[in-house]
Amino acid sequence: MSALCEATGADVSQVSYAVGIDTRIGPKFLNASVGFGGSCFQKDILNLVYICECNGLPEVAEYWKQVIKINDYQKNRFVNRVVASMFNTVANKKVAILGFAFKKDTGDTRETPAIDVCKGLLGDKARLSIYDPQVAEDQIQRDLTMKKFDWDHPLHLQPMSPTTVKQVSNVWDAYEATKDAHAVCILTEWDEFKTLDFQRIYDNMQKPAFIFDGRNIVNPAKLREIGFIVYSIGKPLDAWLEDMPAVA
């Protein structure tokens, strides 16, 4: 839905509000993001796929597989937006990653979308500076070097080489993470990110300065007043971004 909103100039927050007015649905779990994570949701869906296949329901199993695939699509779309917006390459550019846990108020990184986003950026040779208030450096390093199961290619595993991980630094301060960065990616909705001094961040970043908000926690209008080029999931794009190459 966020992809459709961006393509049509709509605001995904307004769509979420309108759908949530129906009390049979409610407003919970309708917020758009860079993708879902956690230990349960994907595992439970895959269990459902297995049960359907075992009971001779391949069409139903395929339906539920698409939930996993669209989640992967959302993460890939975010990475593609970052790369396309930054002149089609992030090679040797510093990208600050704010948040690595799959949701705020936890240090849990199981199935966090940050893993795939970081791997996608590293694949284009970006230099990452990662800050999360509760995730330890060794956990981030393990997650980025972990082999990932590819649903479409069951025998294909995707490890991240130790050489590539050298492009990653872990810091314990959001201002240090964003210093001299070309872009900021917000991947976890930590409350502290809402109250950061973005003028200070902008002054210490490379120009043009980009913010890619994967959780819709910042005010795009205020950031644009400061001078940032802003992309927020499911929100109308900057005119500058609209002129960039299309992102799937």
Side-chain angles (χ1 to χ4, degrees):
M1 188 57 69
S2 63
L4 181 60
C5 286
E6 290 169 27
T8 59
D11 187 329
V12 74
S13 297
Q14 295 176 5
V15 175
S16 174
Y17 173 75
V19 174
I21 288 176
D22 188 332
T23 56
R24 296 169 299 177
I25 300 172
K28 294 182 178 180
F29 303 112
L30 292 177
N31 292 331
S33 76
V34 67
F36 65 75
S39 62
C40 296
F41 199 10
Q42 179 164 307
K43 170 181 63 66
D44 291 344
I45 293 173
L46 293 176
N47 284 337
L48 188 56
V49 170
Y50 174 76
I51 292 170
C52 291
E53 289 180 337
C54 289
N55 284 276
L57 300 170
E59 294 86 358
V60 180
E62 188 61 30
Y63 173 89
W64 290 110
K65 284 182 185 179
Q66 297 306 313
V67 176
I68 304 298
K69 290 181 179 179
I70 203 68
N71 193 49
D72 289 336
Y73 160 80
Q74 182 77 335
K75 292 177 285 188
N76 291 334
R77 193 173 72 86
F78 186 86
V79 173
N80 290 339
R81 173 61 68 188
V82 173
V83 174
S85 301
M86 298 178 69
F87 312 102
N88 287 318
T89 182
V90 291
N92 296 316
K93 295 177 182 178
K94 180 179 178 180
V95 179
I97 303 295
L98 298 187
F100 198 83
F102 83 91
K103 66 177 181 179
K104 71 173 184 176
D105 301 329
T106 180
D108 195 340
T109 64
R110 287 174 292 181
E111 302 295 341
T112 176
I115 295 174
D116 288 332
V117 170
C118 288
K119 285 185 176 182
L121 295 173
L122 288 169
D124 198 50
K125 310 300 183 184
R127 294 181 292 110
L128 304 184
S129 183
I130 303 175
Y131 166 67
D132 188 288
Q134 287 195 24
V135 181
E137 177 179 356
D138 60 347
Q139 181 62 54
I140 293 174
Q141 295 291 330
R142 282 196 299 270
D143 287 334
L144 293 181
T145 54
M146 177 179 60
K147 294 179 179 180
K148 181 183 178 182
F149 179 79
D150 188 323
W151 182 271
D152 289 323
H153 304 280
L155 299 180
H156 182 209
L157 298 175
Q158 303 169 326
M160 183 61 63
S161 71
T163 301
T164 302
V165 173
K166 291 181 179 179
Q167 298 167 224
V168 178
S169 62
N170 300 97
V171 297
W172 292 98
D173 178 80
Y175 298 107
E176 180 64 25
T178 56
K179 184 179 179 181
D180 295 322
H182 296 80
V184 176
C185 294
I186 302 174
L187 302 184
T188 310
E189 68 279 21
W190 288 103
D191 290 336
E192 69 178 81
F193 297 158
K194 302 175 184 178
T195 59
L196 290 172
D197 184 346
F198 283 99
Q199 182 65 62
R200 173 184 172 185
I201 290 174
Y202 178 81
D203 292 341
N204 290 320
M205 285 180 64
Q206 301 287 333
K207 307 299 185 298
F210 296 85
I211 286 189
F212 300 92
D213 185 3
R215 295 289 179 173
N216 281 340
I217 65 170
V218 297
N219 186 319
K222 290 184 177 180
L223 294 182
R224 288 172 183 133
E225 288 177 2
I226 292 173
F228 286 104
I229 297 169
V230 184
Y231 165 74
S232 295
I233 287 283
K235 303 279 188 174
L237 302 176
D238 278 359
W240 193 91
L241 285 173
E242 290 177 345
D243 292 334
M244 297 301 294
V247 175

